[in-house]
Amino acid sequence: MNPEVRLFLEAALTLNIVFVLFVGMLVPIFAELTVRRSLTAGLKHALLVALAGVTGSALIHLVAVDAPYWAPAIIASVSLVSVSLLRRWGELQGEWAGIPRSLLALAPVSGVQFFIWTSGVSGLDAVIVSFGAGLGYYFGIVIVVTTIEQIRLAEAPWWSKRLGTLLFAVAVFALGFAGFQFL
């Protein structure tokens, strides 16, 4: 298999840092999306995750090569700009559990950049990892929202239609995705 295709598939499925951060999995929960709306909202989120990864990686390698202490500031700046773009696009309005939704979305966006920086990935590989993580994030949002809808519609007792059921289903998905081995 082509090394770039392998890196892309690994970043999208098995090494997807956005869902490894767990907060990325919470975005579809606190965004209160429907399945239809998750297709467009998830695309916005995934696009900004991918572009933030590329932009953050490029800025870190341009500015912070000789001064690595600037990297966290660059990651924070790119993440804040990305989340403010999501807010301008009409996403992440309001609060969830007393926390602004936009604040919760900072973790997935900054997590991709931090992963790329700490892994030492640069150039074309950083672009591939960023878009792989973005694609995996998009599918993750759609899968979690679809699972939430199925849990709500299920003919089951009220106690089995809770967050624990969703987290168990996500754990099963994670085991399935971790089982992919690319040669």
Side-chain angles (χ1 to χ4, degrees), residues 3-20 46 49-50 112 115 125-141 143 173-174 176-178 180 182:
E4 285 80 17
V5 172
R6 179 181 179 182
L7 183 65
F8 179 79
L9 291 174
E10 284 178 348
L13 296 174
T14 60
L15 300 177
N16 193 337
I17 192 63
V18 177
F19 271 83
V20 170
V49 162
V112 170
F115 175 74
D125 289 345
V127 173
I128 290 170
V129 167
S130 296
F131 279 93
L135 180 70
Y137 190 46
Y138 175 73
F139 287 134
I141 287 175
I143 287 170
F173 290 139
F177 287 141
F180 284 110
F182 300 103

